[in-house]
Amino acid sequence: QVQLVEPGGGLVQAGGSLRLACAVSGRTFITYGMGWFRLAPGKERQFVAAISWSGASTYYADSVKGRFTISRDDAKTTVYLQMNSLKPEDTAVYHCAAHSRAVAMISLSSYEYWGQGTQVTVSS
């Protein structure tokens, strides 16, 4: 059983920064590709960022490119999402997810395991 826990999140002013963390336990972390998705009120779940097993490949949604950075620390079995220059439209519940493929995946249906989500609120 794989478990993903996101203890971060919070309230930040527009233009500010926040770092989300997702701790993974249960199986060998290095064999999982990881991703972040977000769900805003009245909208469908949206892809945010993904990273491959090795960390060599990353992908970002156009809306966050240049502002967000996904990274992983295999020793800590944790994936991070550094969010800079935050905007009110970034307000959402952010979920991390894992899949057992080597490449970075942007499709929601490719992910097998999900965290419970953490709220990020950006005030204007």
Side-chain angles (χ1 to χ4, degrees):
Q1 183 73 16
V2 177
Q3 293 185 324
L4 288 72
V5 179
E6 310 114 323
L11 173 65
V12 64
Q13 288 188 330
S17 297
L18 202 60
R19 188 177 79 158
L20 303 182
C22 174
V24 182
S25 63
R27 290 186 63 178
T28 307
F29 176 70
I30 61 173
T31 64
Y32 284 97
M34 301 295 298
W36 287 94
F37 292 78
R38 64 187 182 187
L39 182 61
K43 296 185 178 181
E44 294 184 351
R45 189 168 294 184
Q46 177 189 31
F47 166 76
V48 176
I51 189 167
S52 62
W53 278 7
S54 66
S57 296
T58 56
Y59 290 100
Y60 297 92
D62 288 343
S63 58
V64 307
K65 201 171 294 183
R67 299 188 297 122
F68 290 12
T69 302
I70 188 171
S71 62
R72 60 189 297 155
D73 185 335
D74 291 344
K76 296 181 179 180
T77 65
T78 299
V79 62
Y80 301 97
L81 185 68
Q82 177 66 45
M83 304 184 294
N84 299 327
S85 302
L86 282 161
K87 305 175 181 179
E89 52 263 42
D90 293 318
T91 295
V93 175
Y94 284 71
H95 296 262
C96 69
H99 64 80
S100 53
R101 301 179 189 181
V103 299
M105 305 293 289
I106 65 172
S107 170
L108 184 151
S109 62
S110 298
Y111 288 81
E112 302 158 59
Y113 306 100
W114 291 84
Q116 80 286 356
T118 186
Q119 177 69 47
V120 172
T121 302
V122 184
S123 62
S124 57

